[in-house]
Amino acid sequence: MNEWPNGWSGDQSGNRYGYGSGNAEPEGARAMPQVRRDAAPGYQRHEPPLPPSMSPHRGATVPPQQSQGYDDAYDSGYNTGEVYGGGGGGGRRGDDYDYGRAGRPRPRWGRRIKWTVITLVAVLAVASVATYFWADGKLRRQVDLSKVIDRPEAGDGTNYLIVGSDSREGMSAAEKQKLHTGSAEGKRTDSMMILHDGSNGPTLISLPRDSDVEIPSFVGSDSGKKYPGTGRHTKLNAAYAEDGPELLVRTVEYNTKLHIDHYVEIGFAGFANIVDAIGGVEMDIPKAFKDKNSGADFPAGKQTLNGQQALAFVRTRHAFAGQDLDRTKNQQKFLATLASQTATPGTVLNPFKLYPTMSAGLDTLIVDKDMSLWSLGNMFFAMKGVTGGEGKSMNMPISGSTGGNLVWDKAKLRQLVQQLNNDEKVTVSGN
């Protein structure tokens, strides 16, 4: 019986092909005759699928094959992809990919986004910790408030004594000339303010340097020797010149009866460098003024002040009728504006601005030994709140003058201190 379809024979050329010939010589390759699909009507040809190892894409489908003119009645399975083992082929798929119809890997975006966020958070955490220790290491904790004697009781909230000194430390001769600072030896207080940070908003109080105060008994910051009070009256900035920050704190506390929690001081160079680091401070100057002593020369209107101009702005007093009282108002206005314009996303989130600004301030900033970066940050944002309308700025209430010294209004001062100690809304008005 013939095993081949019609038109075929088991031996087309006299040789038996595919039956394991016993000839001594091996069978040579011979051409297969072209067979039409319709050579045997009704004949169903079944071809086994390729093994998975020979599949071009495991588990993928193959696009339909175009007919080459043959009868479509016969189906070899190639046009359905059955030759590749269907969609259930073997092979391990990566966890990060999903295979589509064309066999191309599609990334699993949810997984990638998760790891990207985790990496970003980790980097930010490391950067924040590194920044903290870097900044903390630059703080110059040189003032020891434990040397201050006979201190008043602390009230609610936090009181900062902020001092702008005329220190020329680290300045070259050219810088002194450019900034109109002069070349006086030592340092004195050029501005003094009390910043109270409490639950009723911040209150910024300027203390004119020409304020008439009594120098009380004190312990020398270097000698450790106690000096008794003699009832001697002098200008407030003389206390700083006599024995530095510790005596200044002692004198402010004695004459106000207000406890000072922290001390912060910045010199001329540091002040100008901070302004330059943030790209200047925009100010609205209501009236033009000049002062050859400070180098000020400002037209009226909105303008951006660089470090040199800012220093001249806050130091000018001879151009104003109120002298030191008018100067303290400008100092308050500028410092609050500086804090407001510094605490912006453009500075805080920009490392190319943030680090130079922090470095400029921390290099010349002098604080008390108990000052932390957290407390310093709270002071900074409290200062910003004064400009934002959350608080109040004022001069110390003045009742008159004696011998060129400004005398504080004692009745208003007592009321002011009581409100600050109780953390109440300040209703006292200053000059």
Side-chain angles (χ1 to χ4, degrees), residues 275 278-283 303-306 310 334 337-338 341-342:
V275 175
I278 66 170
V281 175
E282 185 180 27
M283 296 291 295
Q303 51 205 286
T304 299
L305 310 186
N306 60 25
F334 184 87
T337 303
L338 172 64
Q341 294 183 18
T342 303

Side-chain angles (χ1 to χ4, degrees), residues 240-258:
Y240 182 94
E242 186 173 333
D243 199 53
E246 287 84 1
L247 179 55
L248 178 62
V249 171
R250 166 69 174 138
T251 302
V252 169
E253 289 188 338
Y254 178 82
N255 286 269
T256 63
K257 304 301 185 289
L258 183 69

Side-chain angles (χ1 to χ4, degrees), residues 225-292:
K225 179 181 176 181
K226 184 172 182 178
Y227 297 88
T230 60
R232 175 169 56 99
H233 280 247
T234 185
K235 293 181 179 181
L236 180 59
N237 66 339
Y240 182 94
E242 186 173 333
D243 199 53
E246 287 84 1
L247 179 55
L248 178 62
V249 171
R250 166 69 174 138
T251 302
V252 169
E253 289 188 338
Y254 178 82
N255 286 269
T256 63
K257 304 301 185 289
L258 183 69
H259 182 87
I260 300 299
D261 297 290
H262 292 294
Y263 177 91
V264 180
E265 176 188 326
I266 189 167
F268 283 161
F271 181 83
N273 290 341
I274 291 175
V275 175
D276 286 333
I278 66 170
V281 175
E282 185 180 27
M283 296 291 295
D284 188 0
I285 300 176
K287 185 178 179 180
F289 64 90
K290 292 183 179 182
D291 181 12
K292 65 179 182 179

Side-chain angles (χ1 to χ4, degrees), residues 121-140:
V121 170
V123 169
L124 289 176
V126 172
S128 298
V129 172
T131 299
Y132 177 89
F133 284 105
W134 168 78
D136 188 72
K138 292 179 75 68
L139 271 181
R140 300 168 66 183

Side-chain angles (χ1 to χ4, degrees), residues 188-400:
R188 287 160 294 277
T189 53
D190 208 57
S191 61
M192 291 162 283
M193 302 178 187
I194 294 175
L195 175 65
H196 174 82
D197 184 21
S199 58
N200 276 291
T203 302
L204 184 62
I205 308 160
S206 286
L207 309 176
R209 70 176 191 173
D210 293 338
S211 297
D212 185 82
V213 294
E214 180 182 341
I215 301 295
S217 59
F218 67 96
V219 173
S221 57
D222 293 328
S223 66
K225 179 181 176 181
K226 184 172 182 178
Y227 297 88
T230 60
R232 175 169 56 99
H233 280 247
T234 185
K235 293 181 179 181
L236 180 59
N237 66 339
Y240 182 94
E242 186 173 333
D243 199 53
E246 287 84 1
L247 179 55
L248 178 62
V249 171
R250 166 69 174 138
T251 302
V252 169
E253 289 188 338
Y254 178 82
N255 286 269
T256 63
K257 304 301 185 289
L258 183 69
H259 182 87
I260 300 299
D261 297 290
H262 292 294
Y263 177 91
V264 180
E265 176 188 326
I266 189 167
F268 283 161
F271 181 83
N273 290 341
I274 291 175
V275 175
D276 286 333
I278 66 170
V281 175
E282 185 180 27
M283 296 291 295
D284 188 0
I285 300 176
K287 185 178 179 180
F289 64 90
K290 292 183 179 182
D291 181 12
K292 65 179 182 179
N293 292 315
S294 67
D297 186 2
F298 299 106
K302 288 186 177 181
Q303 51 205 286
T304 299
L305 310 186
N306 60 25
Q308 177 185 348
Q309 294 169 323
L311 188 57
F313 180 81
V314 299
R315 294 184 62 219
T316 298
R317 64 170 177 165
H318 297 295
F320 309 124
Q323 294 282 309
D324 205 34
L325 289 177
D326 287 339
R327 178 172 70 165
T328 56
K329 293 177 182 178
N330 281 342
Q331 290 172 346
Q332 289 179 347
K333 181 179 180 181
F334 184 87
L335 290 178
T337 303
L338 172 64
S340 179
Q341 294 183 18
T342 303
T344 61
T347 299
V348 176
L349 300 180
N350 183 354
F352 298 102
K353 268 194 172 185
L354 176 63
Y355 287 98
T357 301
M358 293 179 64
S359 181
L362 295 173
D363 280 343
T364 58
L365 203 66
I366 296 175
V367 298
D368 64 272
K369 292 187 176 181
D370 293 327
M371 175 71 82
S372 66
L373 284 178
W374 179 262
S375 296
L376 191 62
N378 286 340
M379 184 202 78
F380 180 79
F381 282 101
M383 184 76 76
K384 178 186 176 184
V386 174
T387 299
E390 302 171 8
K392 178 177 182 176
S393 61
M394 58 181 288
N395 276 331
M396 180 64 76
I398 303 296
S399 61

